[in-house]
Amino acid sequence: MTGTPGASSTRDGEAPERPPPCSPSYDLTGKNKVVTVDGMRVKLQIWDTAGQERFRSVTHAYYRDAQALLLLYDITNKSSFDNIRAWLTEIHEYAQQDVVIMLLGNKADVSSERVIRSEDGETLAREYGVPFMETSAKTGMNVELAFLAIAKELKYRAGRQAGEASFQIRDYVESQKKRPSCCSFL
Ligand SMILES: Nc1nc2c(ncn2[C@@H]2O[C@H](COP(=O)(O)OP(=O)(O)OP(=O)(O)O)[C@@H](O)[C@H]2O)c(=O)[nH]1
């Protein structure tokens, strides 16, 4: 999931009939995950679209079924960041209208090779009204939070009742996310 953005779909429900289309990497893609939200187990079924090489070929089927999409770019690779707008355009065309989208700037651990500033990710995310954080699949920074935030949002939507306080995923992510610093971010 580095170098190009990957989109993953999540589902709360039964195991997939078809296997994930590419080999799993760390916690960000390729695995099913169970997240406990307020005492309820939410199962996330994760598919990795495998990146740019399959752009516009297999991805439409993912969009159609996905309840949530994680859009990843690599903070050390400008073209991966530049591709995000194209992915968002695709998503708006093919995904369900209420799909949960999250923008992730991955490889936050390799600050020496950073070419995309955190502010650039934040600005892009704000423009599209999606939550944003930087992650590291190497150290695990913010990885669990990304899944937890999505699980909370999906659980909230599934069980929403009149009068219940709304769950704001962007506010939640902003309040919980860790930011990389020069010395320590864990
Ligand atoms: N330092 C660091 N390396 C990472 C991180 N995430 C992935 N990598 C490395 O980047 C390389 C590519 O990772 P992949 O997960 O295969 O990248 P990908 O974009 O999903 O690849 P495709 O799905 O085939 O397009 C591997 O060597 C990973 O170990 C990260 O957060 N930090």
Side-chain angles (χ1 to χ4, degrees), residues 45-174:
Q45 177 187 319
I46 301 157
W47 295 336
D48 181 358
T49 62
Q52 184 68 19
E53 67 275 16
R54 299 197 187 162
F55 191 48
R56 294 177 195 278
S57 55
V58 299
T59 44
H60 297 171
Y62 290 91
Y63 299 157
R64 206 180 44 239
D65 292 339
Q67 289 178 293
L69 295 164
L70 300 180
L71 268 179
L72 277 84
Y73 65 87
D74 174 349
I75 66 156
T76 71
N77 181 317
K78 186 169 183 309
S79 68
S80 72
F81 181 73
D82 292 341
N83 283 334
I84 291 292
R85 282 181 191 279
W87 282 97
L88 283 161
T89 303
E90 288 264 300
I91 286 168
H92 283 125
E93 196 166 339
Y94 294 102
Q96 296 176 35
Q97 204 136 37
D98 62 349
V99 68
V100 182
I101 300 169
M102 184 175 291
L103 180 63
L104 302 176
N106 192 46
K107 288 206 187 180
D109 58 286
V110 278
S111 53
S112 57
E113 293 168 43
R114 175 190 286 276
V115 295
I116 304 298
R117 301 174 310 166
S118 289
E119 304 90 275
D120 299 328
E122 273 159 15
T123 302
L124 183 63
R126 208 174 307 121
E127 186 184 331
Y128 285 88
V130 300
F132 166 75
M133 61 188 145
E134 292 193 340
T135 55
S136 168
K138 187 172 180 184
T139 68
M141 187 185 81
N142 287 332
V143 171
E144 290 302 310
L145 175 59
F147 292 114
L148 180 60
I150 288 200
K152 275 180 175 283
E153 175 70 23
L154 295 178
K155 175 180 171 283
Y156 166 71
R157 290 181 181 195
R160 190 166 27 191
Q161 287 170 2
E164 186 186 346
S166 67
F167 175 71
Q168 301 291 341
I169 188 170
R170 285 173 68 196
D171 294 347
Y172 179 73
V173 163
E174 283 305 310

